[in-house]
Amino acid sequence: MTDPGVLTADEQLQQQQQQQGSAVVTDPYTSLKQNYEGLVLFLTTVQNVVDGWAAAGERIQFAFSWSDQLATTVLLVVLLLLAVGLWVLGLQVLVTIGLLWVFRHPVLRDPLPPPPANFMARMPTRSDTMM
């Protein structure tokens, strides 16, 4: 026995279409405007994603460029320790440890970002250095 107050997905879709009015737009200018707004929204999302990728690439480039000697030194020491760990323990052990760390229980997680992510987030991008 189903609850009469609970609607199925089809009934919800029909109600939404009735509330929005006619599903078919008769005015070609309104249709063109809706298509244009959808395209602008999509392209804005794509631009934001690509901007994030570019900023991450600039931060990595900044870390390796010796513009900040401390940041480059820390990065090289971490990479050296990772290489030694890979040589001593092997790839399978390091991947297992990494996966156990990533998939740990939420109670064991810190609400703050991990230090490497915080370190990279604080690195300046090209637009930051121009100001």
Side-chain angles (χ1 to χ4, degrees), residues 106-127:
V107 173
L108 302 174
R109 294 182 186 176
D110 191 13
L112 298 174
N118 192 17
F119 178 74
M120 288 305 289
R122 292 179 183 270
M123 288 285 216
T125 60
R126 225 177 252 157
S127 61

Side-chain angles (χ1 to χ4, degrees), residues 67-117:
S67 298
D68 184 4
Q69 286 83 15
L70 178 64
T72 305
T73 303
V74 168
L75 181 69
L76 290 178
V77 167
V78 167
L79 289 176
L80 180 67
L81 291 175
L82 185 64
V84 169
L86 181 64
W87 179 62
V88 171
L89 298 175
L91 181 64
Q92 187 176 6
V93 174
L94 285 181
V95 168
T96 304
I97 291 170
L99 287 175
L100 287 174
W101 179 258
V102 168
F103 294 121
R104 67 190 183 277
H105 195 276
V107 173
L108 302 174
R109 294 182 186 176
D110 191 13
L112 298 174

